[in-house]
Amino acid sequence: MASERMADGQDGDRPEPQIPDPRPLDAIDRDILQILHTDGRASIRSVAERVHVSRANAYARINRLIDDGVIRGFGARINHERAGQGASAYITLKIVQNTWRTVREHLRTLPGASHIALVSGDFDVLLLVHTPDNRALRELVLTRLQSIPEVLSTRTLLVFEEDDMEPES
């Protein structure tokens, strides 16, 4: 399948970046991750108290988790409808073999692109977008996506209702 061939790291002339081996996490690290996953705005002091370590230890552990790439960042969970993004869709794409990185860079520039994944199966890429309305969604799919030379075909799946599985804070 095209996506299985693309996933092997063969993408033009660029080598696959080396990903460092994961550092083992202990119980305290896992507890810190759970706290920050639930409340990314938790203070160092409250994290330290909840995992029973000093503030300096909690601070050092959180910085190490960031430096090691375990924590990729902190952000807000957004209600897209209330933010004026009332139309959401998953879009599947079939792409030219070995063009994943090029396509990914195009997709990252799309307005409303929320999640991009290289997948296996009947299509190669799964894209989640949020747009103000169906007219903007149509423009994104028919004009922006289908003008990317490496995109062979698309299929749009409208989202009627979504439920954020993230923990409530």
Side-chain angles (χ1 to χ4, degrees):
M1 213 145 291
S3 56
E4 291 164 358
R5 289 187 296 271
M6 285 184 296
D8 67 6
Q10 298 174 12
D11 188 15
D13 297 332
R14 291 181 284 180
E16 184 71 29
Q18 293 299 315
I19 299 171
D21 290 334
R23 179 181 289 198
L25 302 179
D26 64 16
I28 293 172
D29 290 334
R30 287 189 296 276
D31 288 346
I32 289 171
L33 290 174
Q34 183 58 48
I35 291 166
L36 293 176
H37 183 70
T38 303
D39 180 8
R41 294 174 48 169
S43 69
I44 299 287
R45 186 175 127 233
S46 72
V47 170
E49 288 172 357
R50 290 169 64 185
V51 299
H52 309 291
V53 298
S54 70
R55 285 194 328 218
N57 188 322
Y59 183 80
R61 283 173 177 268
I62 291 169
N63 280 334
R64 189 196 73 225
L65 292 166
I66 292 169
D67 291 344
D68 287 350
V70 175
I71 295 175
R72 297 183 299 161
F74 299 87
R77 289 190 309 270
I78 298 169
N79 179 323
H80 295 284
E81 272 190 82
R82 300 210 23 105
Q85 301 280 293
S88 298
Y90 285 97
I91 304 169
T92 66
L93 295 88
K94 288 186 181 181
I95 63 174
V96 173
Q97 183 177 345
N98 297 328
T99 62
W100 160 241
R101 288 184 188 89
T102 303
V103 171
R104 179 178 56 195
E105 293 311 310
H106 284 290
L107 299 179
R108 284 180 172 164
T109 68
L110 293 176
S114 170
H115 183 85
I116 305 165
L118 177 67
V119 297
S120 65
D122 293 336
F123 48 89
D124 303 306
V125 178
L126 182 64
L127 171 67
L128 173 60
V129 297
H130 303 282
T131 62
D133 53 34
N134 283 343
R135 183 181 308 271
L137 178 60
R138 178 182 173 274
E139 174 71 18
L140 186 131
V141 173
L142 297 180
T143 303
R144 301 284 301 267
L145 279 177
Q146 293 183 1
S147 71
I148 299 171
E150 298 84 1
V151 173
L152 300 173
S153 67
T154 64
R155 174 171 282 167
T156 303
L157 307 164
L158 291 177
V159 174
F160 295 126
E161 185 176 325
E162 56 188 320
D163 187 7
D164 191 359
M165 299 299 289
E166 297 291 321
E168 295 295 323
S169 50

